[in-house]
Amino acid sequence: MLFYDAVNPAPNPRRVRIYLAEKGLSVPSETLSIVAGEHKGPDFLAVNPLGQIPALKLDNGDVLTESVSICRLFEAMHPAPPMFGEGPQGMAEVDMWIRRAELRMMVPLSMVWAHCHPFTARVVKPQYTEFGESQRPRVISAMREFDRALADRDYLSGKGYSMADIVLLSVVDFAGFVGIPIPEDQANLRAWHERVSARPSAQA
Ligand SMILES: N[C@@H](CCC(=O)N[C@@H](CS)C(=O)NCC(=O)O)C(=O)O
């Protein structure tokens, strides 16, 4: 196996690193430089034609992409401790929160990142700045949805720390990097963020 990785602040490979740290697993890896465009070079495009990181090359030569799918493979191989929920309802809840973090927060955040940030100006041409700015309030309102959900629980699924918390942590930290910190008045989300950031795995 070979895990294709990229350093922070790239949020998606970080999810896999946090997951592996939580599970106590280690996988051979190669770190590519996004700044140097290595993820768009011919060698990596031969691995993942999408030119996106992370990717996981399996021993049989097949390649998996998508951070959550890569973690699902490891989960099937190493089910304990469960990180994708337990029982029908528990598993569905973790899946629901993962999708909400990705669709309701990461999607508008990606638009702010792509269309407003100076780092992406080199590759996103043209940048539709006005459109990008219009997505900033959507990120904050998605944060508010999570703030409300966390009013009566320590972790998203309610049954303990899970992959959903890993995905949300990666998105919230990336939002901070893009210039959208958790608002002061979102005390539940801020407390959750402190809680999950205190786990050793968050250093990944
Ligand atoms: N949904 C994918 C997203 C992967 C992704 O967008 N990775 C970023 C780095 S964090 C990337 O490679 N961006 C370059 C691009 O999209 O061209 C996942 O979760 O793995």
Side-chain angles (χ1 to χ4, degrees), residues 6-9 32-39 53 113 119 122-123 177:
V7 297
N8 292 331
L32 303 183
S33 166
I34 290 183
V35 174
E38 287 177 350
H39 59 315
I53 305 171
W113 166 240
F119 280 20
R122 194 167 50 97
V123 284
F177 172 76

Side-chain angles (χ1 to χ4, degrees), residues 10-13 15 34 39-40 51-54 66-67:
N12 299 293
R15 296 171 179 179
I34 290 183
H39 59 315
K40 302 296 180 190
Q52 291 188 324
I53 305 171
E66 297 300 328
S67 50

